[in-house]
Amino acid sequence: MIAYITLLKVIANKGTILSGTSILHHTRRLLIVAGTVMLTAFLLSANIHPVHAQLSRAAPEAPTGQATRPAAPVRSQMVVAAHPLAARAARQMLRDGGTAIDAAIAAQMVLNLVEPQSSGIGGGGFLLYWDAFQQQLLTVDGRETAPAEAGPDRFLNDDGTPIRWPDAVGTGRSIGVPGIVPMLEAVHGEFGRIEWGELFAPAIDLASNGFGVSPRLNLLLTGMGPDAFNEDARNYFFDNTGEARALGEVLKNPALARTLKQIATSGHRALRSGPIAKNIIAAASEPGVATITLNDLRAYESIQRRPVCVPYRSYSICGMGPPSSGGMTVGAILGLLEASDLGDQPNAAAIHMIIEAEKLSYADRNRYMADSDFVDVPAGLLDPDYLEERAQMIDPAQTMGRAEPGTPPDLETTPGTDASDENPGTSHISIIDQFGNAASLTTTIESAFGSRRMVSGFLLNNELTDFSFRPVDEGGRPVANRVEGGKRPRSSMSPTMVFDADGNLWAVLGSPGGSRIILYVVKALVAMIDWNMDPQAASALGTFGSRNGPAELEHGADMDRFASELEALGHEIARPSMTSGLHIIRVTPDGLLGGVDPRREGAAIGD
Ligand code: DON
């Protein structure tokens, strides 16, 4: 073992960059010209949708082109993250002898800067951590909480009707108490090897000296326009004529550098007292609404939850339990498919079966899943007999249309029908270190640029819009995912790890994508396990699935070839953009293989 590690360390010094877009730092003008050329090349290579047409305020995390990147195995350690600079910062920590949690923290802080639309210290996330030394899996909940004084009518108009989502997102109503820094600090305390303060050095350096604005950041800003943002954000993201920062423009964020320096020194305490806390409270305030208080900031704690693991084929698939619906819903879908032969490559019959399993599982998810510290989430939803009975409802010859929720064995009270709306700003980081530890972190500020309110250099989330806006359904039954003080909104985030029959780590994966995250993760799992695809092919594969509505086939992707067969089975077909960000690492006998979602700007970097 020692010899093996030594060998890996030797290889580690050489290093391999598998993929990624690099934006050079130069003079402003040169960069803008170079940037325009790069953007054109990026889009031409894209094979994809008309980018500007895709951008709208209703769908803020639109696709910004596709690129395919090669996969090659590395021996020792790997990071897959949504931006090359974040992956590099993480790799630096791994090379310095850090663990997967050290690397994840460095990547997260850089992502806050270079992919500000998706995640950051103003948000929350869920982390799976595989501790190779103890051979144990931890699942940690760093989800935002509702302020203690928040009530079920938070998203209702005076007449009792729900507020429209666009009218809630950019307001103080939507902002939850951030959880990502407390969570990362807690896990680092147990598993970190590099000193906490050092993990912030790459992000502080980039925030102070600047980074090149990426195509995706530029396009999302252009699509959203300056009026969507508060003053701090507007001044940072737009020039004084209202133009979004140009592609390749070197952007510095001294306010974020200052904030990160304080967190590097004082940890999450920097966010719950002093000037940053004061700024958060002021930026989140909204007349007449119970918004974040100092007590809320001080009361926040991340929570270690029990992992949700289900058998699928010869593997064990492990994910995040409530308040995320991810682990349980992915588990239920796979449980319903366990007895089905899905063939050895993508095919219409298998896609039909998967869609039907998804409909049944989303019906249950929508009714039963929420923060289990507040409502009773029936564990029977994953009971093998219950799933076998539900699987009988799947007809290979025709669609069931819309599925109804079932009655799991341990049900105590039936909650009302949910009406929450989730819109696409999230990022997924997968890491395996030289010791065999792994991190699967899905991190978010909810929709693109969160609440669009910037404070001390970072954006505050709009996570509370993941609650059901209606506290009771039409029959007067309380909805499980209604707003309550201190509660965490239901999530779809599905950081996942797969273990083989001997209990060895086999894959690390996850994705952004709002309530479609579950579809993306199921697609990738089936692609790798049933269809034997490598992680790059699994991530790039055209997306399909259903959230108990129409059968969704990714716009412009090769899955459209299955449309007529699915229509013949009675499916109503929708062709939305499906902007996943599936970041995968597979452990193979030849080494670690990365999968980077071609729909975003990520990179897999390993040694
Ligand atoms: O927690 C959730 O499920 C959502 N707030 C995640 C949002 C998201 O993934 C947006 N991604 N593009």
Side-chain angles (χ1 to χ4, degrees):
M1 184 63 182
I2 292 170
Y4 180 60
I5 290 176
T6 313
L7 174 66
L8 295 181
K9 280 189 177 150
V10 173
I11 296 168
N13 288 332
K14 272 177 58 203
T16 316
I17 297 182
L18 292 179
S19 56
T21 42
S22 65
I23 294 167
L24 303 170
H25 293 234
H26 231 297
T27 67
R28 187 187 149 109
R29 184 186 291 182
L30 254 179
L31 274 170
I32 293 173
V33 174
T36 310
V37 174
M38 281 169 60
L39 174 62
T40 312
F42 184 83
L43 297 178
L44 284 177
S45 69
N47 160 36
I48 295 304
H49 335 317
V51 173
H52 288 284
Q54 294 290 328
L55 290 170
S56 76
R57 283 160 205 230
E61 272 265 43
T64 42
Q66 293 199 1
T68 304
R69 300 166 171 92
V74 298
R75 295 267 14 135
S76 168
Q77 52 197 13
M78 179 174 265
V79 182
V80 190
H83 193 288
L85 291 173
R88 268 177 224 162
R91 199 247 316 250
Q92 191 55 51
M93 298 305 155
L94 296 180
R95 286 185 167 181
D96 291 349
T99 61
I101 189 63
D102 295 318
I105 294 167
Q108 170 66 85
M109 297 308 147
V110 174
L111 284 176
N112 190 151
L113 178 73
V114 300
E115 198 201 29
Q117 66 269 25
S118 296
S119 74
I121 57 184
F126 294 106
L127 172 75
L128 265 58
Y129 193 77
W130 171 243
D131 169 13
F133 298 107
Q134 301 291 330
Q135 295 279 296
Q136 63 167 347
L137 177 66
L138 273 82
T139 60
V140 197
D141 167 357
R143 184 70 161 168
E144 297 89 334
T145 55
E149 297 303 319
D153 57 353
R154 191 174 189 83
F155 293 106
L156 295 180
N157 291 307
D158 290 344
D159 65 0
T161 56
I163 294 176
R164 286 179 343 116
W165 187 87
D167 297 336
V169 60
T171 75
R173 278 173 213 281
S174 76
I175 303 173
V177 183
I180 198 83
V181 176
M183 174 179 80
L184 294 175
E185 194 177 348
V187 181
H188 177 265
E190 216 173 322
F191 299 103
R193 286 191 170 202
I194 293 184
E195 206 202 312
W196 171 257
E198 284 177 35
L199 305 173
F200 293 76
I204 292 170
D205 179 45
L206 286 163
S208 307
N209 297 314
F211 69 98
V213 169
S214 75
R216 187 164 173 79
L217 177 55
N218 169 266
L219 286 167
L220 292 172
L221 287 171
T222 305
M224 197 156 283
D227 295 344
F229 293 89
N230 77 348
E231 198 182 339
D232 276 16
R234 206 162 43 238
N235 292 339
Y236 175 60
F237 287 128
F238 298 85
D239 68 17
N240 50 20
T241 69
E243 283 294 308
R245 298 291 171 196
L247 171 61
E249 182 174 344
V250 176
L251 196 53
K252 297 178 184 173
N253 189 340
L256 181 63
R258 281 193 297 276
T259 296
L260 293 176
K261 279 180 195 159
Q262 291 188 41
I263 300 174
T265 312
S266 314
H268 71 278
R269 285 185 303 283
L271 301 176
R272 58 174 62 180
S273 61
I276 304 177
K278 222 171 111 201
N279 291 346
I280 293 175
I281 292 164
S285 71
E286 192 72 41
V289 181
T291 50
I292 298 176
T293 65
L294 198 55
N295 280 343
D296 290 323
L297 292 173
R298 291 197 177 137
Y300 187 88
E301 280 185 15
S302 62
I303 303 173
Q304 200 174 312
R305 307 272 185 191
R306 202 169 321 137
V308 173
C309 295
V310 298
Y312 183 65
R313 312 297 183 221
S314 60
Y315 299 90
S316 179
I317 316 288
C318 295
M320 190 72 223
S324 185
S325 62
M328 289 186 81
T329 312
V330 168
I333 294 164
L334 296 175
L336 292 168
L337 292 170
E338 180 69 316
S340 304
D341 180 357
L342 300 179
D344 58 7
Q345 57 180 312
N347 64 89
I351 291 168
H352 166 72
M353 298 298 286
I354 296 167
I355 284 173
E356 299 298 283
E358 289 173 342
K359 288 183 173 190
L360 290 165
S361 305
Y362 269 79
D364 279 352
R365 165 198 180 269
N366 293 347
R367 172 150 296 173
Y368 297 114
M369 294 182 201
D371 183 347
S372 51
D373 290 344
F374 284 75
V375 297
D376 201 31
V377 180
L381 291 169
L382 290 176
D383 179 272
D385 293 337
Y386 172 69
L387 289 174
E388 204 182 309
E389 194 186 304
R390 295 273 281 167
Q392 302 298 324
M393 296 167 74
I394 300 178
D395 180 346
Q398 62 172 4
T399 177
M400 66 183 73
R402 202 178 164 79
E404 291 299 322
T407 308
D410 54 346
L411 182 64
E412 285 179 8
T413 44
T414 302
T417 303
D418 200 343
S420 50
D421 192 356
E422 291 166 47
N423 270 265
T426 303
S427 207
H428 184 82
I429 308 169
S430 292
I431 301 175
I432 297 183
D433 66 27
Q434 62 180 303
F435 314 106
N437 307 305
S440 184
L441 171 64
T442 313
T443 171
T444 187
I445 51 172
E446 214 302 284
S447 63
F449 304 99
S451 64
R452 299 132 200 197
R453 292 189 182 187
M454 181 173 262
V455 47
S456 305
F458 61 90
L459 288 161
L460 292 171
N461 68 84
N462 68 301
E463 217 69 55
L464 303 190
T465 59
D466 276 357
F467 280 118
S468 171
F469 281 24
R470 285 180 205 272
V472 290
D473 73 1
E474 274 152 18
R477 286 174 307 190
V479 172
N481 188 33
R482 65 188 177 279
V483 183
E484 293 179 79
K487 190 172 174 181
R488 298 171 188 224
R490 182 187 63 209
S491 174
S492 303
M493 291 191 280
S494 309
T496 303
M497 289 192 191
V498 183
F499 297 87
D500 69 15
D502 298 323
N504 297 316
L505 183 65
W506 190 82
V508 179
L509 66 152
S511 177
S515 57
R516 292 194 183 98
I517 289 173
I518 292 161
L519 309 182
Y520 302 152
V521 167
V522 166
K523 176 201 81 169
L525 290 169
V526 168
M528 290 192 292
I529 294 174
D530 291 87
W531 300 332
N532 202 25
M533 289 183 171
D534 70 50
Q536 186 56 47
S539 153
L541 177 67
T543 305
F544 57 89
S546 176
R547 294 169 294 164
N548 202 18
E552 298 182 330
L553 295 178
E554 183 180 1
H555 174 79
D558 57 349
M559 300 319 272
D560 210 31
R561 67 200 140 117
F562 301 115
S564 57
E565 275 180 81
L566 291 170
E567 270 165 343
L569 296 169
H571 288 282
E572 180 199 334
I573 309 279
R575 292 178 177 79
S577 299
M578 298 176 92
T579 314
S580 56
L582 272 164
H583 292 158
I584 310 175
I585 305 177
R586 266 274 286 112
V587 184
T588 76
D590 299 328
L592 305 175
L593 270 178
V596 191
D597 202 311
R599 298 161 188 84
R600 296 193 183 222
E601 299 174 332
I605 304 182
D607 290 309

